[in-house]
Amino acid sequence: MNKVKVVTVGLGYIGLPTSALIAQNGIQVHGVDINQNIVDIINQGKIHIIEPSLDIAVEEAVRKGFLKAAITPVEADTYLIVVPTPFKGNHEPDISYVEAATRNIIPFLKEEDLYIIESTSPVGTTEKMINLIYGERPELKGKLNIAYCPERVLPGNVMHELVHNDRVIGGLDDKSTEKAIQFYKQFVKGELHATNARTAEMCKLTENSSRDVQIAFANELSLICDKADINVWDLINLANKHPRVNILQPGCGVGGHCIAVDPYFIVSDYPMESKIIGTAREVNNYKSFWCVEKIQNEKLKFELSHGRKPSIALMGLAFKPNIDDLRESPAKYIVQKVLQNDNNGEYFIVEPNLQEHNVFKLTDYKEAAEKADILVLLVAHDQFKGLKLAKERNILDFCGIKIKKN
């Protein structure tokens, strides 16, 4: 086997595609994950997440011997930190995973190695990791290349966007930035934009906070339209006919590992300054509460009209259409709250992109749509768009699907 060139720490929704892409370019990659089951799956040339084309990339990289997974690092020339950065219960960012991953590779570092954080992180995280590294290995001070380069990909199109999207690369110094740029040039076709680490950290947070604010506008508009008896989907379609207006589509909230989390990294550090960003988070969180109330009200109306409790299909658990990722999913939260409020009701819980769930008993989407009295559309999965209902039933559409009625 050739010498390992790259160690990636974290083999999740970003770490595994990144590892596979690098390996596909003939670079020896050693992927690290704390979950032995994930390691075993990858070493069989298989994947543990849903992402188009990822299965092909991993199978090829493992078969050709350019990708191997393990639970411990090895010596390499480049180290990528691609672990989660969730927030704590009080919405403060938690960089403990980044710190733990960094501690694991510190014993292997040597002069001129390249250390890059890709995990979305609060401003100043790279500097904290620098202090951690040099505190443990003072003999390396000033002799490493350290940079921050956030991913900016869309789940469902990750393998394409890792190659073609522009990247922002912020080094500790100019030398680190240039070395990181040369590294990414090996497999990224998008433009590589040089900056410093703090700016690169804030850039990622800014991108996702901007999206969160835009979605909050659409979600707030949906609340207003509900009271005004206006179809919000038609309204937005008409408003977007204006050449300088581009309103996003409302949903049942905002989820995922980025947009629902990253704005808090700014709000936590700059609470007095981030008024719009903080309010957008409140609006998008409230939309989920509102959806729960609408479901409960619809259920009560049905009971009063029919003299019995309705059966209800809760359609979708993922945080966005056509993926299996449930991280920070507003749909999952809504399902949990609805079930908590009514333990004795008949519910069909649907997520077509999952075979099973450790909490919810899942039902086939066609069966659920056929049996339920009330259909609650939480996520605009493609499967739901093709549904044709054989009988009349109440529909609560929180994601803009137009279901045909026979």
Side-chain angles (χ1 to χ4, degrees):
M1 180 181 288
N2 296 326
K3 180 181 180 296
V4 172
K5 296 292 185 181
V6 179
V7 165
T8 54
V9 185
L11 293 173
Y13 287 91
I14 304 300
L16 181 56
T18 300
S19 301
L21 173 61
I22 297 171
Q24 277 188 312
N25 283 268
I27 302 167
Q28 201 70 41
V29 179
H30 181 91
V32 178
D33 200 282
I34 60 173
N35 188 319
Q36 183 66 56
N37 184 51
I38 289 175
V39 167
D40 293 340
I41 290 171
I42 293 169
N43 284 333
Q44 294 171 20
K46 300 177 182 178
I47 60 176
H48 61 287
I49 53 179
I50 289 180
E51 182 61 46
S53 302
L54 178 60
D55 55 341
I56 298 172
V58 170
E59 189 279 330
E60 177 187 338
V62 172
R63 175 169 46 82
K64 292 184 177 181
F66 285 105
L67 174 61
K68 180 181 179 181
I71 59 172
T72 55
V74 296
E75 186 177 290
D77 299 324
T78 300
Y79 298 85
L80 296 183
I81 307 300
V82 201
V83 295
T85 46
F87 53 74
K88 303 172 186 176
N90 55 1
H91 289 152
E92 289 185 6
D94 181 1
I95 62 169
S96 62
Y97 293 8
V98 174
E99 181 177 337
T102 301
R103 287 188 184 277
N104 281 340
I105 60 98
I106 285 177
F108 300 95
L109 293 172
K110 59 188 184 300
E111 288 186 23
E112 293 306 315
D113 279 353
L114 177 60
Y115 164 93
I116 303 173
I117 301 175
E118 289 200 358
S119 306
T120 305
S121 304
V123 175
T125 299
T126 306
E127 293 167 10
K128 289 180 180 178
M129 294 306 107
I130 291 170
N131 293 333
L132 173 62
I133 292 170
Y134 291 155
E136 297 283 335
R137 300 285 304 278
E139 76 278 9
L140 291 176
K141 190 168 184 178
K143 299 177 181 178
L144 295 175
N145 299 284
I146 297 174
Y148 180 81
C149 179
E151 56 81 15
R152 41 162 50 154
V153 295
L154 184 70
N157 197 35
V158 170
M159 295 307 294
H160 175 83
E161 296 198 358
L162 279 175
V163 175
H164 297 283
N165 285 3
D166 288 8
R167 299 293 288 263
V168 175
I169 301 175
L172 171 64
D173 49 35
D174 290 343
K175 177 172 170 288
S176 296
T177 302
E178 182 56 32
K179 185 151 186 175
I181 287 175
Q182 293 306 315
F183 169 71
Y184 283 103
K185 273 185 177 179
Q186 297 175 93
F187 54 91
V188 174
K189 295 181 181 179
E191 190 172 346
L192 305 175
H193 303 274
T195 184
N196 57 68
R198 292 179 71 87
T199 302
E201 289 166 340
M202 181 60 91
C203 185
K204 178 59 187 293
L205 303 180
T206 298
E207 291 164 6
N208 287 324
S209 295
S210 172
R211 292 274 296 166
D212 198 41
V213 169
Q214 293 167 359
I215 296 169
F217 179 83
N219 278 335
E220 188 169 276
L221 196 60
S222 72
L223 303 177
I224 295 168
C225 286
D226 184 71
K227 277 198 170 182
D229 194 25
I230 295 171
N231 185 305
V232 68
W233 316 102
D234 292 343
L235 173 67
I236 290 174
N237 181 55
L238 292 170
N240 283 345
K241 302 298 182 184
H242 189 290
R244 288 172 296 280
V245 173
N246 184 25
I247 303 169
L248 301 181
Q249 298 298 302
C252 60
V254 172
H257 64 296
C258 287
I259 300 179
V261 176
D262 296 357
Y264 286 121
F265 291 12
I266 297 178
V267 174
S268 177
D269 287 340
Y270 310 98
M272 297 304 296
E273 294 80 8
S274 51
K275 301 300 185 186
I276 293 176
I277 296 171
T279 300
R281 280 282 73 233
E282 293 174 4
V283 170
N284 287 330
N285 285 339
Y286 173 72
K287 184 63 184 295
S288 299
F289 293 123
W290 182 84
C291 290
V292 173
E293 291 181 355
K294 293 291 286 186
I295 295 168
Q296 291 173 334
N297 289 338
E298 191 69 21
K299 182 182 67 175
L300 289 173
K301 284 197 295 184
F302 186 96
E303 288 183 33
L304 291 173
S305 299
H306 297 80
R308 64 175 177 87
K309 282 189 173 185
S311 57
I312 301 176
L314 300 169
M315 309 288 284
L317 289 173
F319 80 80
K320 67 184 292 287
N322 306 322
I323 62 171
D324 67 343
D325 194 343
L326 272 57
R327 287 176 293 175
E328 306 301 326
S329 169
K332 184 180 74 170
Y333 166 83
I334 290 167
V335 170
Q336 289 171 332
K337 296 301 290 184
V338 168
L339 295 184
Q340 286 173 8
N341 294 331
D342 183 14
N343 292 327
N344 299 320
E346 184 180 15
Y347 293 95
F348 304 105
I349 301 168
V350 175
E351 179 42 68
N353 295 303
L354 289 178
Q355 294 294 321
E356 59 182 7
H357 190 270
N358 58 0
V359 175
F360 306 122
K361 178 185 176 183
L362 300 181
T363 301
D364 177 77
Y365 72 98
K366 291 181 180 178
E367 178 185 348
E370 178 64 29
K371 291 182 177 179
D373 297 307
I374 299 175
L375 206 62
V376 181
L377 300 168
L378 298 171
V379 187
H381 290 311
D382 285 346
Q383 295 93 328
F384 303 163
K385 297 176 183 178
L387 279 173
K388 295 181 179 179
L389 305 182
K391 63 177 183 178
E392 285 292 324
R393 82 277 316 282
N394 298 352
I395 297 177
L396 288 177
D397 185 359
F398 297 124
C399 53
I401 299 176
K402 293 181 179 180
I403 290 185
K404 297 178 181 178
K405 295 183 179 180
N406 291 342

